[in-house]
Amino acid sequence: QISLLVGFISVNNYPWTDNSAYSYFQIVTMCDLVMILFFYIIHIFRIYRKLTCVSWPLAEFLHYLIGTILLLIASIVAASKSYNLSGLVVGATFGFLATILCVLSIWSSYKVSCITQSTSK
């Protein structure tokens, strides 16, 4: 997700005084981005076919759910601490945009894994 990367870069390149709120935002965005790339690699190389002991739709659903909640909290904290500083406002804005996109990913993951399986029976 490009919005996570843009949010991370805009917060990372802006000098600030309160380090803890923005460090949390950076950690959450980078961890979420790494996990999204991990699931993309799983799907691109079809590793899910070899590792059948893991329920990949459930793992992806839980990742998006937990990541979205943490990203929403991080975006709220970054927005509340930004004090109209342009780089930090941009980071929080892209954090909220990434939250919306993650909610859409949760919905599509749920729709594909649960609704498609229940109608195919």
Side-chain angles (χ1 to χ4, degrees):
Q1 292 211 10
I2 301 298
S3 58
L4 284 171
L5 189 59
V6 170
F8 174 79
I9 290 171
S10 63
V11 168
N12 192 36
N13 291 333
Y14 200 84
W16 63 78
T17 57
D18 184 14
N19 213 0
S20 63
Y22 304 113
S23 295
Y24 176 69
F25 182 82
Q26 289 175 329
I27 290 169
V28 168
T29 54
M30 282 284 59
C31 287
D32 209 16
L33 186 63
V34 166
M35 288 304 294
I36 288 171
L37 292 175
F38 172 75
F39 280 109
Y40 283 155
I41 289 170
I42 294 288
H43 286 291
I44 287 173
F45 294 115
R46 300 176 193 243
I47 297 172
Y48 60 89
R49 290 184 179 175
K50 295 176 184 158
L51 295 174
T52 57
C53 61
V54 177
S55 174
W56 290 107
L58 180 62
E60 188 173 358
F61 178 76
L62 289 176
H63 157 258
Y64 277 123
L65 182 66
I66 294 168
T68 301
I69 292 169
L70 290 175
L71 189 59
L72 179 64
I73 293 169
S75 298
I76 290 171
V77 169
S80 68
K81 299 281 186 172
S82 66
Y83 304 118
N84 295 327
L85 301 174
S86 61
L88 305 178
V89 171
V90 169
T93 304
F94 277 100
F96 285 121
L97 178 66
T99 303
I100 292 169
L101 293 174
C102 283
V103 167
L104 292 175
S105 294
I106 289 172
W107 175 248
S108 66
S109 174
Y110 169 76
K111 192 174 179 182
V112 167
S113 64
C114 295
I115 295 175
T116 306
Q117 289 178 2
S118 66
T119 58
S120 65
K121 290 181 180 181

